[in-house]
Amino acid sequence: MPDVSVVVIVYNDANRLPTAVRSVMDQTLHGVDVVIVDDCSTDRSFAVAQELAAAHPGRVRALQLPENSGGCGAPRNHGIAHARGEFVMFLDSDDVLEPNACRNMLDAAERTGADLVSGMCVRVHVDTRTKKTVEWYPWLYARTRTIESVSELPDLLVFDTLSTNKLYRREFLREAGLEFPVGIHYEDLLFSAQAYVAARRITLIPNHVYFWNVFEKAATKSISNRRHEIANFAHRMEIHRRVDELLAQQGLDELKFHKDVKFLKHDLVLHLRDLPLLDETYRRKFAEMANGYLAGIAPEAYERVQPIQAICAYLLGKEDWQALMPAVDTLINRDKLSTPLAEHEGRVYWTDRHLDDPEGRRVLDVTDAGYHTRSLGRLFLRNQLTSYADDGRGTVELAGSVVNPLGAITPATRLRGRIELKARRRSLQTFSFPLNSLRLRGDRVDWDATLDLARRLRPLGVIDAVWDARLILEADGETTRTRLTVGGVDLDDARALRIRPRLTRLVSDRIEPATSKRGHLTFVLHAQSKASRGTQKLLGQALHSPAAALAKTGVRTARKAKRELNSGQTKLRVYHEVFSKLPVRKGLVVFESHLGKQYSDSPRALYEEMRRQGIDFEAVWSYAGKKPTGFPEDATLVKRWGWPYLRALAQAEFWIDNQGYPLKLTKRPETTYIQTWHGSALKRMGFDEPRLRLQARAAKDAYQQVLDRFDHFLVRSEHDVRTLAGAFRLRPEVLLRSGYPRNDSLVAARREEERSGTRTRGPLAAELGIPDDKTVLLYAPTFRAGPNGAVRGFELPFDVDEFTRRFGDRFVLLIRSHYLNHVVLPPSVRGTVIDVTGHHDIAPLMTLADGLITDYSSVMFDYALLDRPMLFFAYDYEEYANEARGTYFDLKSTAPGPFVETQDALFDAIDRLKAADAEHREARAQFTATYGEYDQGDAARRVVGRFFGAGHREGGAK
């Protein structure tokens, strides 16, 4: 008796069947046999099966059903009935098993006594040039584990519903009466659910076991790729109902909830994506079937999916096609804004309809998406094609309508636009066509254009076969690029138009419109004349010739070389072996703040002091991201980790930053590294962190090497010496007791206020629109990190609408989230609560603020220099102090201001702000003396004088 019987099912797949069977015959486990079940094919599949059986007597058997069943269930059931192995697996004729699949799964089953063993499936996209592979839900298979019930791992039932990447104990299948449903598609979903629920023990192994070959260009579409057939969706709904009944019978309500979430995130989305291409009859039937099922899904499930998925499901339930179809466009194109939005009672909604329904208001509320905070240039707007016509000779008339979100475009807005046709292949041509008209119509911008393709479009004709159409819209000088969504415009009757490729019409002579996978207008070249078809045939043969293969290999080699040239390893090697051998350039100073994210902090203060003193030096600032904004124009800007950045660091006389240059870059002895750091420490740092103390010696040594690059480290108090210097194991001679250059302006502001008796707000107040009679509060929290150090998402811990209601007539609240976080404010608080996170430098914000609200941020040490009231909103203090990295001192007992842990207490403290100012004045003075003793207002001048003053330049590591 074999150990494993593999049931291979086949229907009209004679050519691929031998490969599937061979993958079983070649298993490293020899106790394997094959049961081929042919579903009454009309080709040679059964004959091939018989030939395979004859070639492998005793190991391969060929069976055939008397009539075609139309699905996978009946042949698999027939295979189970004829299996002889102790265990059973299933294999489709167009897929293959990994060579060690049976051995690995059998070992796991025998070791754990599991009824069911599951391994990782890999999708192989056969039609792609590189045969792209995608692991199927790999997080489920990160390690070997055995569970006694699927309830221990709901994601298993929810996500891995395949039957083919699993090994089943045959006696288990018989005792549980498990069979695939017959006459219905998506049988895997029900069979897998039944097997998961019935199994007494399930083992998962982190091994690849099954290769699922995906043929997207196949002439005959697979069942899962025939979603345009309404019967396909009907089968899916029926299978889901049967699974729900199973879970209800077993009392597995929690599993039902997880499955409902997955239905909204995956199953429904698959079919929604096809709706724009299907007719009204299909949509009506689809909605009827879907809404009957959606009615049984708990409202809480909508809260566990992406907002756009919940929006589409809700609008489908309302059968609001006018709002749903644009929403589906966003579902397909994730970053696209496909609706003009609506503002209602200070919140932003996807549509202005259904807001009388509480559930509608909850689901359609997209305030947190922050659309209302983005400029037009940062929005990808829906551009609906409203008409398409051609004259048959080469001219196309187009018209469309672009979304105008929340009336961002007004009658006063200066509008310009053009249609652009761009070859999909990179580095090729682009052709532009002017618009005939561009008109604002309330919540949309209408346009029309004439494209003279016959005269103006000159493709090469071979490698630029696909051309994407875009509308480039300029509004008051800000540019946004939109794709043309085809939607309800019928292109079926559009004619192929004659064109003139640069490589003559013998290459291709026609272009015709098409709809891309994401629903956008494209134009595709093809050959229609006999001569051009002949040329295309010759080109096709040439492209498959040995010479072409050699050329393709050369191109791939060149591309690989380019990738390797720009890889991190190559850059490190060039930095150390080439750039670091170049001479150091006297006067070259590389500045960086917060890993290149900002032009701010002490590096900025030192840079500006050097400019004020007229120091002769070459300034280089690093930036992160695509485009640098807010950086000085009189400095050379280099992208972090780019080649110019690496060369500048290698040849610099000075490095100046406040956090850390890339860890693996070794500093040359001739280079002086001035580390200004970015704040005194409350939370434990460096080698005082529990996470770092637990690391291996090699990791600790590597970290110490990074810290040893510092030639000078700025401190602002003996507290820094006791904490930061000790945590980083810095040598005493490295420490500069200079204070922080970034705080010079704060000290100056306090002294001027004391001298004059008045507080000058400066131009920033007017820039932010703050009235003179309002008290300004600055809320500046630190970031939140999980147990592994990963930064967590940040949500405001108090209700800004309630703040506005209580204090809007007296206060303005500035919110500056940590640079690792961002926050979205609702329109309802406009004018009272202002997001100032985009301001690189926090010093002007602190100077403007009449009071500070913080938690554990080091901004508390800086703001204390102004001698103004501070409130400490520590809503998660116990978790922060005890469960994370720990702290150097107890903030709760030493805070120089009210220490509150609830919203009510915070708002009460704001009400008593003047009283708090007087009550904590002495505590603030003591706090400043302890944590800012060296901040005397001259830090930048002292540091610049020491390293860059005439006759005082220091170079090299000491």
Side-chain angles (χ1 to χ4, degrees), residues 923-956:
R924 284 203 307 273
Q926 181 60 45
F927 193 80
T928 302
T930 302
Y931 301 109
E933 58 187 300
Y934 301 133
D935 280 322
Q936 299 300 316
D938 59 353
R941 180 177 57 79
R942 291 175 59 193
V943 173
V944 171
R946 174 168 181 173
F947 294 102
F948 303 98
H952 295 286
R953 174 172 291 181
E954 293 188 10

Side-chain angles (χ1 to χ4, degrees), residues 568-803:
Q569 290 299 319
T570 299
K571 287 181 174 179
L572 285 173
R573 188 167 62 251
V574 172
Y575 172 85
H576 289 104
E577 298 178 8
V578 179
F579 291 163
S580 292
K581 301 296 191 295
L582 298 174
V584 168
R585 285 156 50 185
K586 291 295 183 181
L588 174 58
V589 186
V590 180
F591 297 86
E592 184 171 288
S593 179
H594 293 304
L595 308 178
K597 293 181 174 67
Q598 297 177 354
Y599 171 60
S600 66
D601 214 76
S602 292
R604 172 178 179 168
L606 290 174
Y607 171 79
E608 293 178 350
E609 179 66 20
M610 293 168 70
R611 288 298 189 202
R612 273 192 295 270
Q613 293 189 24
I615 304 295
D616 182 17
F617 71 108
E618 181 182 354
V620 172
W621 269 93
S622 86
Y623 70 91
K626 294 182 178 179
K627 291 184 178 180
T629 57
F631 287 83
E633 296 181 358
D634 57 353
T636 300
L637 305 185
V638 294
K639 184 178 177 63
R640 201 171 195 266
W641 265 112
W643 289 109
Y645 173 81
L646 295 174
R647 179 163 181 166
L649 284 177
Q651 293 191 270
E653 184 181 6
F654 288 92
W655 292 1
I656 300 178
D657 91 312
N658 66 351
Q659 194 153 338
Y661 287 107
L663 305 182
K664 295 184 179 180
L665 299 183
T666 302
K667 183 187 71 67
R668 299 172 68 172
E670 304 96 320
T671 301
T672 299
Y673 189 167
I674 303 174
Q675 173 56 256
T676 69
W677 202 239
H678 52 274
S680 298
L682 167 64
K683 61 195 172 191
R684 295 188 178 276
M685 303 291 291
F687 287 100
D688 291 341
E689 290 185 55
R691 179 172 54 90
L692 187 57
R693 287 203 302 266
L694 295 174
Q695 289 187 356
R697 183 179 183 85
K700 292 179 181 178
D701 290 344
Y703 185 57
Q704 187 64 60
Q705 288 180 356
V706 171
L707 299 173
D708 287 343
R709 296 183 302 176
F710 303 159
D711 296 311
H712 303 282
F713 187 91
L714 274 56
V715 296
R716 53 194 304 248
S717 68
E718 289 305 306
H719 169 76
D720 289 355
V721 175
R722 292 189 299 271
T723 57
L724 291 173
F728 295 153
R729 299 178 180 174
L730 301 177
R731 303 181 308 278
E733 62 270 22
V734 169
L735 305 181
L736 287 184
R737 290 169 168 81
S738 61
Y740 282 171
R742 72 182 188 191
N743 289 338
D744 290 349
S745 63
L746 302 181
V747 175
R750 188 194 73 228
R751 289 174 177 169
E752 176 58 25
E753 187 175 335
E754 291 171 347
R755 184 195 66 78
S756 65
T758 59
R759 183 173 301 169
T760 303
R761 286 186 164 178
L764 184 57
E767 178 186 330
L768 296 175
I770 300 175
D772 292 338
D773 62 341
K774 296 289 182 71
T775 299
V776 180
L777 293 176
L778 173 63
Y779 178 50
T782 190
F783 70 94
R784 297 299 190 272
N788 62 351
V791 177
R792 300 189 310 206
F794 179 74
E795 295 182 5
L796 285 173
F798 57 90
D799 187 341
V800 289
D801 283 303
E802 178 64 13
F803 176 93

Side-chain angles (χ1 to χ4, degrees), residues 351-407:
T351 175
D352 59 1
R353 298 197 291 279
H354 315 296
L355 300 185
D356 56 341
D357 174 16
E359 181 69 7
R361 286 199 304 276
R362 185 182 66 78
V363 172
L364 298 173
D365 189 332
V366 292
T367 308
D368 292 342
Y371 292 121
H372 61 287
T373 67
R374 302 184 209 170
S375 62
L376 279 174
R378 294 174 55 213
L379 290 171
F380 175 24
L381 300 176
R382 174 178 166 91
N383 184 356
Q384 173 64 58
L385 192 66
T386 55
S387 68
Y388 177 98
D390 64 69
D391 63 0
R393 296 187 299 274
T395 300
V396 173
E397 300 285 344
L398 297 177
S401 183
V402 182
V403 164
N404 179 21
L406 296 173

Side-chain angles (χ1 to χ4, degrees), residues 332-353:
I332 299 170
N333 302 275
R334 182 172 298 178
D335 297 326
K336 183 183 289 189
L337 177 58
S338 59
T339 171
L341 302 174
E343 185 177 330
H344 177 69
E345 296 181 349
R347 304 291 294 178
V348 177
Y349 295 90
W350 187 258
T351 175
D352 59 1
R353 298 197 291 279

Side-chain angles (χ1 to χ4, degrees), residues 57 80 179 474 512 524 553 593 665 670 682 704 708 822 908:
I80 294 172
E179 289 187 338
E474 294 181 14
E512 61 183 359
V524 181
T553 300
S593 179
L665 299 183
E670 304 96 320
L682 167 64
Q704 187 64 60
D708 287 343
H822 74 280
D908 288 344

Side-chain angles (χ1 to χ4, degrees), residues 470-526:
R470 292 178 174 85
L471 171 68
I472 312 301
L473 181 66
E474 294 181 14
D476 283 341
E478 195 166 13
T479 301
T480 181
R481 289 170 168 77
T482 68
R483 299 294 301 273
L484 277 56
T485 300
V486 175
V489 176
D490 187 2
L491 297 180
D492 291 342
D493 297 330
R495 289 170 284 191
L497 307 172
R498 294 178 64 85
I499 54 166
R500 295 184 303 142
R502 297 185 187 276
L503 297 179
T504 81
R505 290 195 174 106
L506 291 176
V507 176
S508 55
D509 60 343
R510 295 290 191 277
I511 193 168
E512 61 183 359
T515 304
S516 72
K517 285 184 177 181
R518 294 186 178 272
H520 299 134
L521 177 66
T522 63
F523 289 92
V524 181
L525 299 180
H526 67 94

